[in-house]
Amino acid sequence: VAVLASAAGEKVTFLAVCGKAAVKAGVKAGEIVKHVCTVCGGNGGGKPDSAMGGGKDASKMDEALNAVAEFVGTKVK
């Protein structure tokens, strides 16, 4: 599982990718992106293995990225 973020001004863009083993374990990139984008006041989605989204508050980018590990832990079957 990898989540990347990029900020431009106040806007932030997220990309999440999940390998086959992660998807098989119940982790979905679309759910991860939706979660991190919500933290930053945005939305996103995609497929189980790849997803993108954005947010409106780049000041919360670190908070969103720090939430990934806990979120993934709740999804593992």
Side-chain angles (χ1 to χ4, degrees):
V1 174
V3 179
L4 303 174
S6 174
E10 282 301 309
K11 294 185 179 185
V12 60
T13 302
F14 292 98
L15 168 68
V17 292
C18 295
K20 291 178 185 180
V23 173
K24 188 175 180 179
V27 180
K28 297 178 183 173
E31 291 179 359
I32 295 170
V33 162
K34 185 174 273 191
H35 179 71
V36 296
C37 288
T38 300
V39 172
C40 294
N43 201 355
K47 298 178 182 181
D49 63 340
S50 175
M52 286 186 71
K56 300 174 186 175
D57 188 354
S59 70
K60 294 189 176 186
M61 184 171 66
D62 287 339
E63 179 184 340
L65 290 173
N66 288 332
V68 171
E70 183 178 344
F71 184 79
V72 169
T74 66
K75 297 296 178 182
V76 176
K77 293 179 183 177

